[in-house]
Amino acid sequence: MTAETKPNKRPTSFDVAKRAGVSRATVSHVLNGQGSRFPEQTQQKVLKAAAELQYKPSPAGRALVTGRSDILVVLIPNATFGTNLQDLVDSVSAQAARHGLSVVVRFAGRDAAETLAAILHFRPVAVVDIGVLSPEDRETLEATGAVAIPRYRQSREPEGDLNFLVGRAMADELLRDGPRRLAFAALVDERQDPFGPPRYAGMKAAVRARGLPTPERLDIPLKLAGAKAALEAFAAQGTPMGIGCYNDDVAIAVLAAGRALGLKTPGDLSVVGVDATEVGQLVSPRLTTVLMQDDALMEQIAADLAELHQKEATQQVHDPRPMVRIIQGETT
Amino acid sequence: MTAETKPNKRPTSFDVAKRAGVSRATVSHVLNGQGSRFPEQTQQKVLKAAAELQYKPSPAGRALVTGRSDILVVLIPNATFGTNLQDLVDSVSAQAARHGLSVVVRFAGRDAAETLAAILHFRPVAVVDIGVLSPEDRETLEATGAVAIPRYRQSREPEGDLNFLVGRAMADELLRDGPRRLAFAALVDERQDPFGPPRYAGMKAAVRARGLPTPERLDIPLKLAGAKAALEAFAAQGTPMGIGCYNDDVAIAVLAAGRALGLKTPGDLSVVGVDATEVGQLVSPRLTTVLMQDDALMEQIAADLAELHQKEATQQVHDPRPMVRIIQGETT
DNA sequence: CTGTTAGCGCGTTCAC
DNA sequence: GTGAACGCGCTAACAG
């Protein structure tokens, strides 16, 4: 045994220094690439020693001195965790790993303040936020030195908001074959949901632009009885009607309710979902749904992530207009 | 201004000490409840100062000295994140909060070693593991001082494993009205899945117990074309057949494939899903599905969580046999 | 009994 | 290339 003196204890920079025959300061400099034009000789010694010891710097020690952890928080709206967001998490995780960051997934709770507090507690390097945080929250966050990603939020005009476009696309599709009475079917879930309102707004805008009456908002639970009751009230006002749904699951609930009420689809009741989930394409009738191509968002996130370490202020990502696409099914 | 001398900087124990007119040691003692029979007087001063300053001890500083973070990791199999697991996460989060712990959700990656490394990096207090970690992984984990929860894993005989029972229940239900050719429809997903094998094993055991031929394993993708192809091969061997599915989504895919092949359900093709998802009960035909009542698991987790701080070795949770229940739908 | 001093744990960084 | 101090909280040892 040469230096394996301390059993079952993670090696510290001191151990590496000892083994390489240098000081801890040197170890730190070499390992951080930073400010180091040490002789090739020395660098190798340090690197070798670190590798042999499987040295991993202590996150706690580092956090203590930098005032910041190596954590990247991904904040997810609680209500919606489908394939889409899972892909986003995977993608972010891969990128973060390249920067040596740890990804922490956090579901937004009912209490926004509590959620924010929990995040701040991590002292994260950055927070990927898909619409959960309010502008004030973001400010609070950035005041602590954390970066809020994507940098430029659903800014400017509503047309820049992907979810607004989703709502508009739903309305357009539902009105394709002539005017109908429209409604937006929101998700009834105790947890908060940031996506519903802009989608509803998009529908309203599109409908108003055609001079039709404002669509109302329906709360559709994911249970047959409740969904049926909710739809029945709306159906009582006459057919044909069209319902833009919060997502494919809600759309499936609306269809089930429609069947139970004896409504014909798409004759009496046409329906559009959102997300193009696999299940939506497997049920009968196959859903017409809106596919969000949030390439712009993903690119922006990737760019912001990349910018995290190389301080060069990245130019704003080219803005390939957020796009939505209708997947034609059998429900419109 | 009295003591607001340092702007935008979190107060440290030093600040509290100064404000309370005591030493940092006293602050630490009082705030940790531990070993402190200081006069009521002093305690109040410290508490008051801490409250006024909104003092929150630095996780990094604490981690440095304790060698352990205040993080509780919840490890989730990547393939499956439905309402069930979400509830589990919520429940664990609530409990953890009571212990002053931060919950970190982690999706198991393709690479087990990498996943484990990522977890170890947090130096967590404990890891809630629903079946992702191998026994060796758990040992590695506990060697670092972390607690693997639930403490007692799907031990002993297979009958103790909830997922095994799920498989058996599926087989029983599918064979209720007489013998059929059975198969297990696994999830085709690049990510790993710890639940499939025990479910399949449960089916096989139940089928063998009746002297019927061993069910084969089908890989059913969540796309119509692929699912149809996979089912067609199996259907070629004759009807009636019964398929136990990995979950409700797969069951919906099987049903879609069956429709496309002109099979009658439940006549030619009967199907059972797992999870009793809302969507499964909204599609037509309504799914027969297996509801897992993992009360035992949840209780064990809760107990282990509670035990985390109060060192009293908790007695083993009473073992209310894991239970599964069939929800009768229209597919069997 | 009440409270303090001092030093540890780990990595970083300024100044020499 | 190094010594020394820092950041923050914990706790053993010790003094009033």
Side-chain angles (χ1 to χ4, degrees):
Chain A
M1 305 302 142
T2 53
E4 309 349 41
T5 47
K6 296 160 190 168
N8 61 16
K9 195 141 180 11
R10 306 194 22 166
T12 74
S13 78
F14 181 78
D15 297 318
V16 177
K18 208 171 46 178
R19 186 173 244 264
V22 298
S23 72
R24 298 191 328 153
T26 304
V27 171
S28 181
H29 283 136
V30 170
L31 260 32
N32 292 338
Q34 290 292 26
S36 49
R37 278 170 320 303
F38 290 79
E40 185 63 19
Q41 184 66 250
T42 307
Q43 305 219 28
Q44 290 311 325
K45 279 193 302 188
V46 173
L47 259 16
K48 183 152 164 289
E52 289 170 354
L53 262 35
Q54 300 219 59
Y55 169 67
K56 302 270 185 297
S58 144
R62 184 172 296 192
L64 194 54
V65 57
T66 63
R68 188 156 307 293
S69 71
D70 64 347
I71 286 178
L72 172 68
V73 174
V74 179
L75 184 56
I76 305 278
N78 208 340
T80 2
F81 193 70
T83 314
N84 294 322
L85 287 181
Q86 194 145 341
D87 287 348
L88 182 137
V89 170
D90 285 352
S91 151
V92 169
S93 298
Q95 294 213 37
R98 278 196 279 285
H99 291 291
L101 297 178
S102 294
V103 170
V104 161
V105 175
R106 182 91 205 172
F107 295 100
R110 165 200 305 297
D111 181 351
E114 191 177 286
T115 299
L116 185 59
I119 291 177
L120 291 177
H121 182 263
F122 287 118
R123 309 253 192 139
V125 174
V127 176
V128 175
D129 162 40
I130 312 298
V132 175
L133 263 28
S134 71
E136 298 75 43
D137 290 343
R138 296 195 136 226
E139 273 177 38
T140 309
L141 197 60
E142 304 208 294
T144 73
V147 179
I149 293 176
R151 278 256 218 284
Y152 308 99
R153 282 306 327 279
Q154 39 203 58
S155 49
R156 310 152 296 238
E157 332 76 53
E159 277 73 16
D161 180 352
L162 192 53
N163 283 295
F164 183 90
L165 296 184
V166 165
R168 208 158 66 177
M170 290 196 295
D172 289 346
E173 174 65 17
L174 291 168
L175 297 174
R176 186 163 42 85
D177 295 335
R180 287 175 174 244
R181 232 161 23 90
L182 297 195
F184 175 72
L187 183 62
V188 174
D189 189 305
E190 60 278 29
R191 336 197 210 221
Q192 72 167 24
D193 156 40
F195 301 148
R199 289 179 190 171
Y200 185 22
M203 273 191 74
K204 285 193 282 198
V207 169
R208 276 204 219 95
R210 304 185 186 221
L212 296 176
T214 298
E216 62 184 271
R217 188 192 125 111
L218 269 33
D219 285 324
I220 303 287
L222 295 182
K223 303 272 189 205
L224 182 54
K228 188 175 162 189
L231 184 61
E232 194 160 27
F234 184 63
Q237 299 169 44
T239 53
M241 52 194 175
I243 303 197
C245 300
Y246 172 72
N247 65 12
D248 281 0
D249 285 1
V250 172
I252 287 171
V254 169
L255 287 172
R259 264 198 310 275
L261 293 173
L263 296 170
K264 294 208 167 31
T265 294
D268 301 326
L269 169 69
S270 58
V271 171
V272 177
V274 178
D275 275 352
T277 60
E278 287 151 327
V279 167
Q281 299 305 299
L282 288 169
V283 298
S284 174
R286 186 162 40 83
L287 284 185
T288 294
T289 186
V290 179
L291 174 64
M292 299 193 279
Q293 305 185 288
D294 38 13
D295 304 348
L297 179 62
M298 293 294 264
E299 274 188 51
Q300 182 69 55
I301 289 177
D304 290 345
L305 243 32
E307 189 178 348
L308 233 44
H309 273 205
Q310 29 182 87
K311 309 210 161 178
E312 321 154 13
T314 300
Q315 66 291 6
Q316 166 70 313
V317 144
H318 62 294
D319 203 29
R321 278 239 170 152
M323 293 283 291
V324 300
R325 193 154 59 85
I326 289 282
I327 307 286
Q328 265 289 343
E330 304 162 346
T331 60
T332 50
Chain B
M1 307 301 143
T2 52
E4 311 345 43
T5 47
K6 297 159 191 170
N8 61 14
K9 195 143 180 11
R10 304 192 24 163
T12 74
S13 77
F14 181 79
D15 298 318
V16 177
K18 208 171 46 176
R19 186 174 245 263
V22 298
S23 73
R24 297 194 331 160
T26 304
V27 171
S28 183
H29 282 137
V30 171
L31 260 33
N32 292 338
Q34 289 295 25
S36 47
R37 275 167 324 303
F38 289 79
E40 186 62 18
Q41 184 68 247
T42 307
Q43 305 220 30
Q44 290 312 326
K45 277 194 304 187
V46 173
L47 260 16
K48 182 152 166 288
E52 288 171 353
L53 261 35
Q54 300 220 57
Y55 169 68
K56 302 270 186 296
S58 146
R62 185 175 301 209
L64 195 54
V65 58
T66 62
R68 188 156 308 293
S69 72
D70 64 347
I71 286 178
L72 172 68
V73 173
V74 179
L75 184 57
I76 305 277
N78 208 338
T80 0
F81 194 72
T83 314
N84 294 323
L85 286 181
Q86 194 145 342
D87 287 348
L88 183 137
V89 170
D90 285 352
S91 152
V92 169
S93 298
Q95 294 213 39
R98 277 196 280 285
H99 291 289
L101 298 178
S102 293
V103 169
V104 161
V105 175
R106 181 91 203 171
F107 295 101
R110 166 198 306 296
D111 181 353
E114 190 177 286
T115 299
L116 185 59
I119 291 178
L120 290 178
H121 181 262
F122 287 119
R123 311 252 192 139
V125 174
V127 176
V128 175
D129 163 40
I130 313 298
V132 175
L133 262 29
S134 71
E136 298 75 43
D137 289 343
R138 295 193 137 227
E139 273 177 37
T140 309
L141 196 62
E142 304 206 298
T144 73
V147 179
I149 293 177
R151 279 256 218 286
Y152 309 98
R153 281 306 330 279
Q154 39 201 57
S155 49
R156 310 154 294 239
E157 332 77 54
E159 278 73 16
D161 181 352
L162 192 54
N163 284 295
F164 183 89
L165 296 184
V166 166
R168 208 159 67 177
M170 289 196 296
D172 289 346
E173 173 66 18
L174 291 168
L175 296 174
R176 186 163 42 87
D177 295 335
R180 287 175 173 244
R181 235 164 19 89
L182 296 196
F184 175 71
L187 184 61
V188 175
D189 190 303
E190 59 278 30
R191 336 198 211 220
Q192 72 167 26
D193 157 40
F195 301 149
R199 289 178 191 173
Y200 186 22
M203 272 191 76
K204 285 194 283 198
V207 169
R208 275 205 221 95
R210 305 185 187 220
L212 296 175
T214 299
E216 62 182 272
R217 190 192 123 110
L218 270 33
D219 285 323
I220 303 288
L222 294 181
K223 303 273 189 204
L224 182 54
K228 188 176 162 189
L231 184 62
E232 194 159 27
F234 184 65
Q237 299 169 44
T239 53
M241 53 194 175
I243 302 197
C245 300
Y246 171 73
N247 65 14
D248 281 0
D249 285 0
V250 172
I252 287 172
V254 169
L255 287 172
R259 264 198 310 273
L261 293 172
L263 296 170
K264 292 207 167 35
T265 293
D268 301 325
L269 170 69
S270 59
V271 171
V272 177
V274 179
D275 275 353
T277 61
E278 285 151 330
V279 167
Q281 300 305 299
L282 288 169
V283 298
S284 174
R286 186 161 41 83
L287 284 185
T288 294
T289 186
V290 179
L291 175 65
M292 300 193 281
Q293 306 185 287
D294 37 12
D295 304 348
L297 178 63
M298 293 294 266
E299 273 188 52
Q300 182 69 54
I301 289 177
D304 290 345
L305 244 34
E307 189 178 347
L308 233 44
H309 273 206
Q310 31 182 88
K311 310 209 160 180
E312 320 155 15
T314 300
Q315 65 291 5
Q316 166 69 313
V317 142
H318 62 295
D319 202 30
R321 279 242 170 148
M323 294 283 291
V324 301
R325 193 153 59 85
I326 289 283
I327 307 286
Q328 266 288 345
E330 305 161 347
T331 61
T332 50

